[in-house]
Amino acid sequence: MLEIRNLNARVEGADILRNLSLTIKPGEVHAIMGPNGSGKSTLGNVLTGRPGYEVTSGEVLFNGQDLLALEIEERSREGLFLAFQYPVEIPGVTNMEFLKASVDARRKHLGLPDLSSFDFMKLARETSKKVSLDAAFLKRGVNEGFSGGEKKRNEIMQMMLLEPSLCILDETDSGLDIDALQVVASGVNAMRDDKRSFIIVTHYQRLLDYIVPDHVHVLAGGRIVKSGGKELAHELEAKGYSWLEDEVA
Amino acid sequence: MTDFQQAQQTDFQQKALTLAGQQESPAWLAALRFEGSEQWLNADWPSRRTELWKYTPLQALQKNTSATWSRVLPQGVGSASLLTVDALRLVFVNGVYDPEGSNVGIASADHTSVVRFSSANAEQRSLIEKHLGRIVNTQRHLFASLSNAWVQDGVLVHVPRNAVLEKPVYVVYVSTPESEPVIANHRLLVVLEDGAQAELIEHFVSDTQPQNSFVNALTEISIAANASLQHYRINLEQEQQIHIGGVHIDLQRDARYSGFTIAEGSTLKRIDYQINHRGNGAHASLNGVYLPRNNQIVDYHTNVEHWAPHCTTSEVFRGIIGDSARAVFNGRILIHPDAQKTLAELSNRNLLTSDKAEVDTKPELEIYADDVKCAHGATVSQLDQTAMYYLQSRGVSKALARTMLSFGFINELLQELPQVAVRNYLQHHLTELFHTGTALE
């Protein structure tokens, strides 16, 4: 599914990712944890091609394709999805238009016919129900005036509509209350199958009680310093990150 | 400036005045016409050094020395697209009233509120005489004197005390090319008495053929105490149409004016708004959109003057400037010494979608009272890169992302419009405009 080899990346002149390597197989859920500033969010941004994130060396294969050679929108159409840590507000563009444009693009890429407006509305309404967002949100500007939790649920809704093969959740749990956290987790769990993979980027172990990972990696100083099973998350919760940082140093 | 150019300018003033003199007009308008003629002829023709015309050269207009005017209703106007709205409709084509396209003339008994000057009764005539040419300041607005010199017909919208106009008034000004370029002067006067309410839609439109006329359109609005007007002014003519327009508004105590204006660019398009807060507690809001592309120009000058205390102004203008187009926005708010407790806000945001696009924006705040709250700001920027990335990360192509963000930038103002017919019409129009891609890159 995804193979990252010796990835080095830089943001505003600072080296953030250093020789990061990671292999994700179909159907796996990987959690990436780590202290603030360790490069967790950078990974998602680099993989999706966010402007300003410069790859200095290394390679990334996504289903055998050179991911870094693709345009931002091509990566999405190929099945890569990033749930943003800070979803963007776009006043004047309705959520419905936005969702339709993205679903149209993905379907076209897959060789599927466009959904009619009616069918799309129906699908969007059903999906919004699954993430407990009122359908009225569809008529509002993209994320405009949404609470933190509503924005995150909107991200999960987009993920459900696009049915990506690799989903990266970038601190989707931050700022969520327990109800919203459960909505997000059940959305992710409902999408888990033996083909779809997930990268869950989080600072806390809490989300991983609901979305149980197959692998847990600790990122520090821009590389993976420790990998393990789900029990590693509990260990981190108990001991914090500093012992690992000491170990690395 | 060479003698040759000087001579040309005078030629246009002379020519326009000659044409103005040919207009058949009722005797009771003669005084205004005379006054206008004097001012027009004696006015200094604007140059680059004239502050009010600094960024908008009038060369394109001056070439019109062979211009004439339409004596009969031009035929075969088909391709202009109008609003679908249940309204009292008046249509003018190149300045000539079109009874077929209009629907107010036949029901004059019911619609005494809307009348052409030429069929005004004695009471309406005295209203016209009282207000016409008196709301506009001709010292500051050169083309208002031409309009005064020319005035022969026009539209009076008069809503008596505490009355509510049952339908919007929809005035359509159609332009169509003729064998010789024509000059059309449009005149509209709105008089709302105390507590009256009305809605007015002015729509300047042309067929899609290259235009060769010059439209000079002057609207004067008097809003008495507690009265309110909702006003739309839509300027979407073909890009060779020359348009100079002015809207001049007097607001009395607790009067409310709510205006929206939109313009695509042309060879020469200049629109002035003058809003006078003359009575305590008046409120004016004015939102505007300009969308020049290709080599077009749009120039909006707004001047809001607070003469009385406790008045409020809210003004928001947004523009998208593409290709090699140019926009001018000059938004002035002037707070006179008596206008204590004024609240005034002015915002102007511009989006440049090409390296060659240009905007000259100048918000001006002049305050001569000490207890007021005023804010103003202007920005010029490109599309928000984070929003672009967000859309693209969902599979939306770069081109479509640009289109969506540009539309959204304008749609923020459109979606607030209370008149659904105008909103739908403009949203549809903009969707088409942006999808052709000409407003972008």
Side-chain angles (χ1 to χ4, degrees):
Chain A
M1 166 73 57
L2 185 76
E3 186 149 3
I4 303 173
R5 293 182 193 144
N6 298 321
L7 187 64
N8 285 274
R10 180 181 283 184
V11 184
E12 289 173 358
D15 294 320
I16 308 291
L17 297 183
R18 298 159 202 258
N19 279 325
L20 188 136
S21 295
L22 178 66
T23 302
I24 294 174
K25 298 201 175 84
E28 288 182 346
V29 175
H30 289 241
I32 295 187
M33 305 184 69
N36 289 328
S38 60
K40 299 189 303 286
S41 290
T42 300
L43 181 60
N45 286 325
V46 166
L47 292 179
T48 50
R50 182 173 193 143
Y53 289 73
E54 184 198 350
V55 174
T56 49
S57 67
E59 64 176 342
V60 181
L61 295 177
F62 181 47
N63 294 324
Q65 256 192 334
D66 179 3
L67 182 73
L68 302 177
L70 299 178
E71 295 290 336
I72 302 168
E73 58 269 33
E74 291 169 340
R75 300 179 195 199
S76 163
R77 293 170 195 170
E78 289 290 342
L80 178 65
F81 182 88
L82 172 68
F84 279 45
Q85 184 181 4
Y86 303 108
V88 183
E89 295 195 19
I90 312 179
V93 176
T94 66
N95 222 6
M96 185 63 100
E97 276 175 86
F98 166 62
L99 296 172
K100 177 108 173 34
S102 51
V103 170
D104 282 352
R106 172 92 166 127
R107 288 181 67 91
K108 192 175 174 194
H109 185 74
L110 295 173
L112 299 168
D114 268 8
L115 288 177
S116 70
S117 293
F118 179 81
D119 288 343
F120 181 77
M121 289 278 274
K122 203 169 148 232
L123 176 66
R125 284 215 186 88
E126 286 165 9
T127 313
S128 69
K129 216 174 276 172
K130 287 184 193 162
V131 293
S132 309
L133 270 184
D134 193 302
F137 279 92
L138 297 169
K139 289 184 182 166
R140 287 178 36 188
V142 175
N143 293 319
E144 189 187 5
F146 288 25
S147 71
E150 287 160 352
K151 285 180 182 168
K152 297 295 175 76
R153 279 182 271 164
N154 196 17
E155 295 292 290
I156 299 303
M157 171 163 173
Q158 291 162 39
M159 185 170 85
M160 289 173 158
L161 286 169
L162 290 172
E163 301 183 348
S165 54
L166 175 61
C167 311
I168 306 168
L169 275 68
D170 187 5
E171 304 210 18
T172 301
D173 51 337
S174 67
L176 288 192
D177 62 26
I178 197 75
D179 292 337
L181 195 71
Q182 283 175 347
V183 168
V184 166
S186 66
V188 170
N189 288 329
M191 288 183 73
R192 282 178 79 160
D193 62 27
D194 56 359
K195 292 197 189 73
R196 183 172 289 124
S197 310
F198 291 86
I199 298 175
I200 314 283
V201 175
T202 181
H203 189 75
Y204 302 104
Q205 172 261 339
R206 191 175 67 151
L207 180 63
L208 305 179
D209 287 342
Y210 298 96
I211 306 171
V212 181
D214 302 304
H215 302 275
V216 174
H217 310 279
V218 181
L219 203 63
R223 66 183 142 231
I224 291 173
V225 295
K226 198 168 183 64
S227 296
K230 62 185 176 201
E231 66 288 342
L232 178 56
H234 291 281
E235 197 179 343
L236 290 167
E237 187 74 4
K239 292 162 80 175
Y241 291 110
S242 55
W243 61 282
L244 280 168
E245 282 172 321
D246 293 344
E247 227 169 66
V248 174
Chain B
M1 198 161 292
T2 65
D3 288 338
F4 175 72
Q5 280 171 324
Q6 195 70 53
Q8 284 256 319
Q9 291 159 359
T10 309
D11 279 355
F12 178 73
Q13 279 168 293
Q14 286 284 2
K15 179 72 187 183
L17 193 65
T18 307
L19 299 179
Q22 294 169 3
Q23 307 302 310
E24 280 179 35
S25 170
W28 53 277
L29 286 171
L32 183 63
R33 286 165 58 89
F34 181 75
E35 185 185 310
S37 304
E38 291 278 293
Q39 283 179 338
W40 171 251
L41 206 54
N42 293 325
D44 286 333
W45 191 253
S47 73
R48 289 235 158 221
R49 284 181 291 273
T50 311
E51 188 60 30
L52 284 170
W53 291 91
K54 196 170 169 184
Y55 299 102
T56 305
L58 288 167
Q59 269 83 348
L61 181 62
Q62 286 155 232
K63 289 181 199 147
N64 268 341
T65 49
S66 67
T68 177
W69 53 279
S70 292
R71 285 164 174 81
V72 294
L73 184 67
Q75 296 301 311
V77 180
S79 63
S81 123
L82 303 188
L83 297 183
T84 310
V85 60
D86 182 19
L88 308 171
R89 190 176 64 242
L90 295 104
V91 177
F92 293 85
V93 183
N94 287 356
V96 183
Y97 180 66
D98 174 10
E100 297 284 314
S102 308
N103 67 7
V104 297
I106 42 173
S108 57
D110 298 334
H111 303 306
T112 49
S113 292
V114 181
V115 67
R116 288 161 60 212
F117 295 172
S118 50
S119 39
N121 62 30
E123 187 202 349
Q124 290 161 335
R125 207 181 286 175
S126 73
L127 271 175
I128 296 167
E129 282 180 291
K130 183 177 167 199
H131 295 285
L132 195 71
R134 302 294 164 235
I135 298 167
V136 61
N137 172 0
T138 46
Q139 296 301 322
R140 205 182 145 87
H141 298 277
L142 169 64
F143 288 88
S145 20
L146 175 60
S147 184
N148 283 345
W150 190 292
V151 65
Q152 40 96 23
D153 203 358
V155 177
L156 169 69
V157 177
H158 172 229
V159 186
R161 192 183 162 88
N162 292 331
V164 179
L165 209 56
E166 78 274 35
K167 287 179 183 181
V169 176
Y170 180 33
V171 189
V172 186
Y173 310 96
V174 184
S175 294
T176 187
E178 297 198 40
S179 53
E180 295 294 327
V182 294
I183 297 178
N185 278 274
H186 298 293
R187 201 65 190 250
L188 177 61
L189 174 65
V190 178
V191 180
L192 303 186
E193 309 274 7
D194 289 2
Q197 287 178 41
E199 180 179 341
L200 168 67
I201 305 163
E202 291 188 90
H203 191 179
F204 296 87
V205 65
S206 67
D207 48 33
T208 49
Q209 309 169 64
Q211 303 294 307
N212 61 358
S213 65
F214 161 45
V215 166
N216 182 29
L218 183 60
T219 297
E220 290 176 278
I221 298 171
S222 165
I223 309 179
N226 285 311
S228 73
L229 178 70
Q230 181 81 43
H231 180 208
Y232 304 89
R233 193 163 164 113
I234 303 167
N235 277 85
L236 304 174
E237 309 100 322
Q238 192 270 342
E239 68 174 4
Q240 272 153 279
Q241 175 73 58
I242 297 178
H243 180 106
I244 294 177
V247 178
H248 302 264
I249 305 149
D250 273 350
L251 291 158
Q252 304 302 335
R253 185 180 53 78
D254 295 323
R256 288 176 306 283
Y257 172 79
S258 176
F260 176 81
T261 174
I262 184 168
E264 289 177 331
S266 82
T267 314
L268 169 55
K269 187 171 286 185
R270 162 66 177 254
I271 299 164
D272 280 78
Y273 273 80
Q274 167 79 40
I275 299 175
N276 296 306
H277 289 284
R278 301 214 181 266
N280 293 12
H283 173 70
S285 73
L286 177 62
N287 289 354
V289 170
Y290 43 89
L291 305 160
R293 58 193 196 282
N294 301 332
N295 286 307
Q296 303 164 358
I297 296 175
V298 175
D299 177 348
Y300 268 105
H301 268 62
T302 71
N303 187 38
V304 181
E305 295 193 43
H306 285 255
W307 301 88
H310 294 285
C311 296
T312 54
T313 295
S314 154
E315 187 177 340
V316 178
F317 270 76
R318 287 191 180 184
I320 299 181
I321 303 102
D323 307 320
S324 301
R326 198 147 56 81
V328 180
F329 176 78
N330 190 299
R332 180 171 179 249
I333 297 180
L334 175 52
I335 319 281
H336 291 279
D338 288 342
Q340 299 295 358
K341 305 285 182 191
T342 291
L343 292 177
E345 281 182 346
L346 166 63
S347 138
N348 173 229
R349 286 173 60 190
N350 298 281
L351 206 55
L352 301 180
T353 59
S354 132
D355 291 344
K356 289 182 186 147
E358 184 184 328
V359 59
D360 298 290
T361 172
K362 189 176 172 193
E364 293 178 83
L365 208 46
E366 283 180 49
I367 305 176
Y368 300 100
D370 53 17
D371 186 12
V372 302
K373 273 191 193 150
C374 299
H376 70 306
T379 61
V380 179
S381 60
Q382 271 91 41
L383 289 170
D384 179 352
Q385 289 309 304
T386 309
M388 283 293 293
Y389 163 60
Y390 189 55
L391 291 173
Q392 285 178 268
S393 82
R394 298 302 182 248
V396 177
S397 71
K398 209 174 208 175
L400 181 57
R402 281 208 185 95
T403 299
M404 289 173 73
L405 292 180
S406 300
F407 178 80
F409 179 66
I410 299 305
N411 191 40
E412 270 189 89
L413 297 182
L414 298 186
Q415 66 196 7
E416 293 171 3
L417 297 179
Q419 170 55 258
V420 65
V422 174
R423 194 167 69 223
N424 288 345
Y425 179 89
L426 291 178
Q427 284 178 333
H428 178 75
H429 182 81
L430 287 201
T431 304
E432 302 232 305
L433 179 74
F434 287 139
H435 279 278
T436 62
T438 48
L440 310 160
E441 290 198 319

mmCIF file of all heavy atoms in Angstrom, chain B residues 90 94 98 112-113 138 188 192 205 210 226 234 315 364 371 392:
data_model
loop_
_atom_site.group_PDB
_atom_site.id
_atom_site.type_symbol
_atom_site.label_atom_id
_atom_site.label_comp_id
_atom_site.label_asym_id
_atom_site.label_seq_id
_atom_site.Cartn_x
_atom_site.Cartn_y
_atom_site.Cartn_z
ATOM 1 N N LEU B 90 -40.075 48.678 -16.535
ATOM 2 C CA LEU B 90 -39.943 49.691 -17.587
ATOM 3 C C LEU B 90 -38.690 49.364 -18.383
ATOM 4 O O LEU B 90 -37.642 49.127 -17.800
ATOM 5 C CB LEU B 90 -39.784 51.086 -17.005
ATOM 6 C CG LEU B 90 -40.974 51.650 -16.234
ATOM 7 C CD1 LEU B 90 -40.704 51.587 -14.753
ATOM 8 C CD2 LEU B 90 -41.249 53.072 -16.676
ATOM 9 N N ASN B 94 -31.566 51.969 -25.888
ATOM 10 C CA ASN B 94 -30.758 53.127 -26.308
ATOM 11 C C ASN B 94 -31.436 54.442 -25.904
ATOM 12 O O ASN B 94 -31.407 55.421 -26.649
ATOM 13 C CB ASN B 94 -30.500 53.106 -27.820
ATOM 14 C CG ASN B 94 -29.498 52.024 -28.217
ATOM 15 O OD1 ASN B 94 -28.938 51.347 -27.353
ATOM 16 N ND2 ASN B 94 -29.280 51.850 -29.508
ATOM 17 N N ASP B 98 -39.625 51.585 -24.363
ATOM 18 C CA ASP B 98 -40.177 50.448 -25.110
ATOM 19 C C ASP B 98 -41.482 49.994 -24.447
ATOM 20 O O ASP B 98 -41.470 49.263 -23.465
ATOM 21 C CB ASP B 98 -39.151 49.309 -25.108
ATOM 22 C CG ASP B 98 -39.688 48.029 -25.726
ATOM 23 O OD1 ASP B 98 -40.778 48.070 -26.331
ATOM 24 O OD2 ASP B 98 -39.022 46.991 -25.590
ATOM 25 N N THR B 112 -49.755 54.579 -10.079
ATOM 26 C CA THR B 112 -49.432 56.001 -10.171
ATOM 27 C C THR B 112 -48.080 56.302 -9.552
ATOM 28 O O THR B 112 -47.531 57.368 -9.746
ATOM 29 C CB THR B 112 -50.501 56.842 -9.454
ATOM 30 O OG1 THR B 112 -50.707 56.262 -8.175
ATOM 31 C CG2 THR B 112 -51.783 56.894 -10.237
ATOM 32 N N SER B 113 -47.543 55.329 -8.799
ATOM 33 C CA SER B 113 -46.250 55.555 -8.156
ATOM 34 C C SER B 113 -45.097 55.556 -9.138
ATOM 35 O O SER B 113 -44.034 56.043 -8.846
ATOM 36 C CB SER B 113 -45.991 54.479 -7.110
ATOM 37 O OG SER B 113 -46.882 54.618 -6.055
ATOM 38 N N THR B 138 -23.561 68.834 -8.950
ATOM 39 C CA THR B 138 -22.984 68.873 -10.301
ATOM 40 C C THR B 138 -21.553 69.437 -10.317
ATOM 41 O O THR B 138 -20.820 69.216 -11.273
ATOM 42 C CB THR B 138 -23.860 69.711 -11.252
ATOM 43 O OG1 THR B 138 -24.200 70.916 -10.589
ATOM 44 C CG2 THR B 138 -25.109 68.961 -11.647
ATOM 45 N N LEU B 188 -33.409 58.766 -13.598
ATOM 46 C CA LEU B 188 -34.358 58.135 -12.680
ATOM 47 C C LEU B 188 -34.397 58.945 -11.397
ATOM 48 O O LEU B 188 -33.357 59.328 -10.863
ATOM 49 C CB LEU B 188 -33.910 56.698 -12.391
ATOM 50 C CG LEU B 188 -34.723 55.879 -11.393
ATOM 51 C CD1 LEU B 188 -36.160 55.707 -11.861
ATOM 52 C CD2 LEU B 188 -34.085 54.506 -11.205
ATOM 53 N N LEU B 192 -39.199 58.896 -1.879
ATOM 54 C CA LEU B 192 -39.942 58.161 -0.863
ATOM 55 C C LEU B 192 -40.328 59.137 0.244
ATOM 56 O O LEU B 192 -39.465 59.745 0.869
ATOM 57 C CB LEU B 192 -39.101 57.018 -0.277
ATOM 58 C CG LEU B 192 -38.542 55.975 -1.250
ATOM 59 C CD1 LEU B 192 -37.877 54.840 -0.476
ATOM 60 C CD2 LEU B 192 -39.609 55.436 -2.183
ATOM 61 N N VAL B 205 -28.004 46.416 -19.489
ATOM 62 C CA VAL B 205 -27.728 45.167 -20.176
ATOM 63 C C VAL B 205 -27.599 45.465 -21.665
ATOM 64 O O VAL B 205 -28.124 46.471 -22.161
ATOM 65 C CB VAL B 205 -28.861 44.153 -19.859
ATOM 66 C CG1 VAL B 205 -30.181 44.615 -20.422
ATOM 67 C CG2 VAL B 205 -28.536 42.752 -20.305
ATOM 68 N N PRO B 210 -20.760 43.579 -30.355
ATOM 69 C CA PRO B 210 -19.941 44.699 -29.900
ATOM 70 C C PRO B 210 -20.760 46.003 -29.895
ATOM 71 O O PRO B 210 -21.406 46.337 -30.885
ATOM 72 C CB PRO B 210 -18.818 44.758 -30.938
ATOM 73 C CG PRO B 210 -18.752 43.392 -31.499
ATOM 74 C CD PRO B 210 -20.171 42.862 -31.473
ATOM 75 N N ASN B 226 -37.807 57.835 8.194
ATOM 76 C CA ASN B 226 -38.326 56.472 8.416
ATOM 77 C C ASN B 226 -38.641 55.687 7.149
ATOM 78 O O ASN B 226 -39.174 54.576 7.239
ATOM 79 C CB ASN B 226 -39.587 56.498 9.276
ATOM 80 C CG ASN B 226 -39.254 56.770 10.719
ATOM 81 O OD1 ASN B 226 -38.359 56.132 11.279
ATOM 82 N ND2 ASN B 226 -39.931 57.741 11.313
ATOM 83 N N ILE B 234 -27.314 46.799 -11.512
ATOM 84 C CA ILE B 234 -26.586 45.708 -12.156
ATOM 85 C C ILE B 234 -26.038 46.191 -13.495
ATOM 86 O O ILE B 234 -26.795 46.611 -14.361
ATOM 87 C CB ILE B 234 -27.540 44.511 -12.393
ATOM 88 C CG1 ILE B 234 -28.166 44.072 -11.075
ATOM 89 C CG2 ILE B 234 -26.807 43.362 -13.061
ATOM 90 C CD1 ILE B 234 -29.345 43.115 -11.262
ATOM 91 N N GLU B 315 -20.133 49.617 4.358
ATOM 92 C CA GLU B 315 -19.830 49.523 2.928
ATOM 93 C C GLU B 315 -18.790 48.432 2.696
ATOM 94 O O GLU B 315 -17.745 48.419 3.312
ATOM 95 C CB GLU B 315 -19.294 50.882 2.458
ATOM 96 C CG GLU B 315 -19.109 50.972 0.973
ATOM 97 C CD GLU B 315 -18.638 52.377 0.531
ATOM 98 O OE1 GLU B 315 -18.814 53.347 1.300
ATOM 99 O OE2 GLU B 315 -18.084 52.461 -0.573
ATOM 100 N N GLU B 364 -10.745 56.321 1.923
ATOM 101 C CA GLU B 364 -10.401 57.589 2.571
ATOM 102 C C GLU B 364 -11.390 57.871 3.680
ATOM 103 O O GLU B 364 -12.599 57.796 3.473
ATOM 104 C CB GLU B 364 -10.528 58.751 1.578
ATOM 105 C CG GLU B 364 -9.551 58.749 0.458
ATOM 106 C CD GLU B 364 -9.842 59.938 -0.475
ATOM 107 O OE1 GLU B 364 -9.378 61.052 -0.163
ATOM 108 O OE2 GLU B 364 -10.563 59.752 -1.462
ATOM 109 N N ASP B 371 -16.433 62.286 18.370
ATOM 110 C CA ASP B 371 -17.001 61.118 19.034
ATOM 111 C C ASP B 371 -17.636 60.172 18.008
ATOM 112 O O ASP B 371 -18.857 60.088 17.877
ATOM 113 C CB ASP B 371 -18.039 61.589 20.070
ATOM 114 C CG ASP B 371 -18.571 60.440 20.896
ATOM 115 O OD1 ASP B 371 -17.991 59.339 20.833
ATOM 116 O OD2 ASP B 371 -19.575 60.643 21.597
ATOM 117 N N GLN B 392 -7.679 20.976 -3.436
ATOM 118 C CA GLN B 392 -6.930 20.026 -4.263
ATOM 119 C C GLN B 392 -6.715 18.707 -3.540
ATOM 120 O O GLN B 392 -6.720 17.646 -4.148
ATOM 121 C CB GLN B 392 -5.574 20.618 -4.657
ATOM 122 C CG GLN B 392 -5.675 21.673 -5.731
ATOM 123 C CD GLN B 392 -4.303 22.243 -6.023
ATOM 124 O OE1 GLN B 392 -3.898 23.231 -5.439
ATOM 125 N NE2 GLN B 392 -3.555 21.607 -6.916
#
